[in-house]
């Protein structure tokens, strides 16, 4: 299987690709819907992506029932526990899995290789939807030429900062690692009640850009076999810079060593953060919870070590159908949510990027200063984790967060922690035959 780092989702924004305007509801079936009268689809959706998810799914459910006669039953899942719940359900057989589910792009290989997900390659082709799908996202859910669901939305992390505080203290948005360190240290000095730059030990995708930015890799593939790269000299250099911000520069207090992205978000909502790694969904989420910060936030791409940009994780979610006795009906619902009206509404409500070139072009045309930096990051410096089911287990085992936390708490040196993480990763890769 050819595995590669995914290029940026936002390619369509700048290349002006011709987009097929997909209405989303009908495909090429002339509007004829699968008969679902008397049936109910079980749908698993991750909690928190859309702060207004329940009204959204009420509207979508009503539209789907009007079209097919079928009802939907949405069950909201927590990101932190969902992967294990999926695995348990898959092991339990078709009666335990949902009919439709939101599946993180990094989970697709793991679930697809168990034959739990439906190969929808032919359906996508017949519906004429493929031409409008962002190539990078489409690739994320495609293994051995088979597509396992539809791209729903995507995001990338860049740097979010308090524009008002940067102006007050004459701090320039950082364009290098040294400038990032200087900005964080200045914030710590001038605004001692803030967390200047959270080194969040539980947030894997906060650490990854520094591995990539130093020229390292999480893992590499050779001859169909994966091997950890987390303890290479380049990776260790990036990890050391990141953790030194907390252990030596003290811009991140000890309490942050266990924080996940959720805790960072909660601190933003309380106006307790000066600058942090954040997703393209973050500014809107902050202002929705803390209107006092409206107009006070800025964003720039994550700076590279000596300039340019560090790579940042490009990921998102698929809507996938599972191998149940309602998979044809499930595909109708997936199609409806991932194209046209409902895809656009979801993107608008969540501040994520949709999976369609046509919708991306509409977003790019708005020139929003809190959106454009993320689009640039996606275009020029988007990356993903290894495309293998083994990496799903590595993430579930929290190998990298445990590595970072051991450094932050002083239990291990950077090299010792990286060596242990590499050993754990290689043991999991060795099981992926």
């Amino acid at each position: 299987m050819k595995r590669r780092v995914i290029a940026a989702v936002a390619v369509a924004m700048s290349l002006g690709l011709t987009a097929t305007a997909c209405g989303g509801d009908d495909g090429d079936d002339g509007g004829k819907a699968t008969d679902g009268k008397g049936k109910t689809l079980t749908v698993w959706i991750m909690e928190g992506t859309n702060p207004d998810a329940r009204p959204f799914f009420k509207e979508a459910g009503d539209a789907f029932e009007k079209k097919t006669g079928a009802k939907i039953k949405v069950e909201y899942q927590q990101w932190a526990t969902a992967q294990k719940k999926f695995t348990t359900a898959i092991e339990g057989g078709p009666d335990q899995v949902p009919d439709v589910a939101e599946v993180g792009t990094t989970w697709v290989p793991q679930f697809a290789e168990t034959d739990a997900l439906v190969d929808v390659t032919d359906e996508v082709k017949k519906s004429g939807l493929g031409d409008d799908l962002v190539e990078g996202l489409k690739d994320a859910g495609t293994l051995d030429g088979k597509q396992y669901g539809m791209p729903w939305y995507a995001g990338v992390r860049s740097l979010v900062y308090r524009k008002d505080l940067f102006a007050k203290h004459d701090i320039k948005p950082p364009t290098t690692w040294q400038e990032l360190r200087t900005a964080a240290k200045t914030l710590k000095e001038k605004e001692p009640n803030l967390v200047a730059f959270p080194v969040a030990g539980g947030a894997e995708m906060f650490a990854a850009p520094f591995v990539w930015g130093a020229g390292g890799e999480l893992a590499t593939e050779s001859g169909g076999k994966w091997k950890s790269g987390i303890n290479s000299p380049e990776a260790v250099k990036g990890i050391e810079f990141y953790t030194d911000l907390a252990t030596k520069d003290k811009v991140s207090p000890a309490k942050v060593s266990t924080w996940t992205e959720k805790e960072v978000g909660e601190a933003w909502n309380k106006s307790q953060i000066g600058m942090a790694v954040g997703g393209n969904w973050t500014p809107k989420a902050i202002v929705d919870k803390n209107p006092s910060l409206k107009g006070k936030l800025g964003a720039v791409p994550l700076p590279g070590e000596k300039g340019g940009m560090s790579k940042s994780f490009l990921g998102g979610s698929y809507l996938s159908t599972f191998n149940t006795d309602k998979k044809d009906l499930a595909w109708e619902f997936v199609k409806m949510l991932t194209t046209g009206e409902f895809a656009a509404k979801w993107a608008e409500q969540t501040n994520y990027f949709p999976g369609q070139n046509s919708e991306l072009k509409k977003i790019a045309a708005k020139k929003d200063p809190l959106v454009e930096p993320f689009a640039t990051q996606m275009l020029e410096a988007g990356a993903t984790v290894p495309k293998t089911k083994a990496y799903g287990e590595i993430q579930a085992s929290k190998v990298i967060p445990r590595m970072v936390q051991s450094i932050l708490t002083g239990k291990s040196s950077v090299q010792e922690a990286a060596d242990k993480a590499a050993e754990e990763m290689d043991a999991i890769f060795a099981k992926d035959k």
Side-chain angles (χ1 to χ4, degrees):
M1 181 192 310
K2 182 178 181 182
R3 308 177 193 270
R4 62 181 183 273
V5 171
I6 298 177
V9 165
V11 167
M13 292 181 174
S14 67
L15 297 185
L17 298 178
T18 301
T20 303
C22 298
D25 285 353
D26 301 333
D28 71 346
D29 58 8
K32 182 180 178 181
T34 302
D35 183 10
K37 188 174 181 180
K39 298 179 180 179
T40 299
L41 291 180
T42 300
V43 181
W44 287 7
I45 298 296
M46 298 301 115
E47 185 84 61
T49 303
N50 185 341
D52 210 21
R54 283 161 178 81
F56 173 89
F57 279 103
K58 174 65 168 62
E59 182 183 359
D62 289 345
F64 188 65
E65 184 174 7
K66 182 178 180 181
K67 180 181 177 182
T68 67
K71 297 180 181 294
I72 65 166
K73 178 185 177 185
V74 179
E75 298 178 2
Y76 295 94
Q77 311 295 332
Q78 299 298 318
W79 278 110
T81 56
Q83 190 173 9
K84 184 175 181 181
K85 186 168 183 178
F86 272 117
T87 302
T88 301
I90 289 168
E91 290 172 351
D95 292 339
Q96 302 297 313
V97 296
D99 298 299
V100 175
E102 176 181 352
V103 177
T105 51
T106 61
W107 298 348
V108 173
Q110 178 185 358
F111 299 161
E113 291 187 24
T114 66
D115 294 324
L117 301 183
V118 177
D119 171 12
V120 295
T121 309
D122 291 340
E123 284 75 9
V124 172
K125 192 176 297 184
K126 284 188 295 185
S127 298
L129 301 173
D131 290 343
D132 198 33
L133 298 182
V134 172
E135 187 60 33
L137 264 186
K138 182 179 178 181
D139 178 73
T142 301
L143 290 89
D144 292 333
K146 298 176 181 179
Q147 187 174 330
Y148 292 96
M150 281 282 284
W152 192 16
Y153 65 88
V156 71
R157 290 163 182 80
S158 294
L159 194 66
V160 181
Y161 65 95
R162 284 284 299 273
K163 186 171 63 174
D164 58 328
L165 298 181
F166 271 52
K168 178 181 177 182
H169 303 301
D170 196 27
I171 305 171
K172 297 186 184 305
T175 60
T176 66
W177 283 6
Q178 185 54 51
E179 288 178 5
L180 173 63
R181 170 175 273 144
T182 300
K185 291 173 72 172
T186 302
L187 282 172
K188 179 179 181 293
E189 177 189 352
K190 302 294 187 182
E191 302 286 343
N193 294 325
L194 293 182
V195 177
F197 181 81
V199 179
E204 176 180 338
M205 295 312 165
F206 280 26
F210 295 95
V211 172
W212 288 320
E217 295 290 348
L218 300 175
T220 56
E221 182 193 25
S222 178
K225 295 182 180 180
W226 286 91
K227 181 174 177 56
S228 174
I230 201 70
N231 63 339
S232 71
E234 295 83 3
V236 168
K237 181 180 181 181
I239 297 165
E240 185 171 34
F241 174 83
Y242 178 60
T243 55
D244 275 358
L245 291 169
T247 59
K248 293 185 178 179
D249 299 320
K250 308 297 184 183
V251 302
S252 180
K255 66 181 180 181
V256 181
S257 64
T258 59
W259 280 11
T260 65
E261 290 191 62
K262 179 181 178 182
E263 283 75 35
V264 175
E266 290 170 353
W268 268 118
N269 297 341
K270 298 173 184 176
S271 299
Q272 295 175 346
I273 302 289
M275 170 177 60
V277 177
N280 52 284
W281 59 92
T282 299
K284 182 179 185 298
I286 294 170
V287 172
D288 284 347
K289 293 288 187 179
N290 186 354
S292 70
L293 290 181
K294 186 174 183 179
K296 297 179 180 179
L297 299 177
V300 291
L302 281 167
E305 181 183 5
K306 300 185 185 303
M309 282 176 274
S310 285
K311 291 180 184 177
S312 182
F313 177 66
L314 164 64
S317 285
Y318 259 50
L319 275 186
S320 295
T321 55
F322 280 71
N323 265 313
T324 70
D325 59 0
K326 290 176 280 198
K327 58 187 178 183
D328 290 339
L329 187 64
W331 166 245
E332 290 290 331
F333 187 64
V334 167
K335 214 169 35 163
M336 189 183 82
L337 253 62
T338 56
T339 60
E341 174 191 1
F342 286 105
K345 283 185 177 180
W346 184 263
E348 181 180 358
Q349 291 177 19
T350 62
N351 211 35
Y352 277 86
F353 292 109
Q356 295 172 271
N357 293 326
S358 53
E359 295 300 331
L360 281 172
K361 289 172 71 176
K362 293 175 187 176
I363 291 172
K366 295 178 181 179
K367 299 290 184 183
D368 188 327
L370 285 175
V371 174
E372 199 166 6
F374 294 100
T376 301
Q377 182 90 54
M378 295 177 83
L379 174 64
E380 298 182 25
T384 193
V385 298
K387 206 166 106 178
T388 165
K389 68 177 183 179
Y391 204 82
E393 185 177 341
I394 288 168
Q395 289 187 307
S397 301
K398 302 188 184 304
V399 174
I400 291 179
R402 286 191 286 106
M403 174 193 72
V404 174
Q405 288 168 0
S406 71
I407 299 166
L408 296 178
T409 56
K411 293 179 181 178
S412 307
S413 70
V414 175
Q415 189 67 59
E416 288 169 346
D419 286 342
K420 183 177 180 182
E423 184 179 337
E424 293 177 3
M425 291 172 70
D426 287 339
I428 295 172
F429 284 136
K431 295 188 295 183
D432 184 21
K433 302 298 184 182

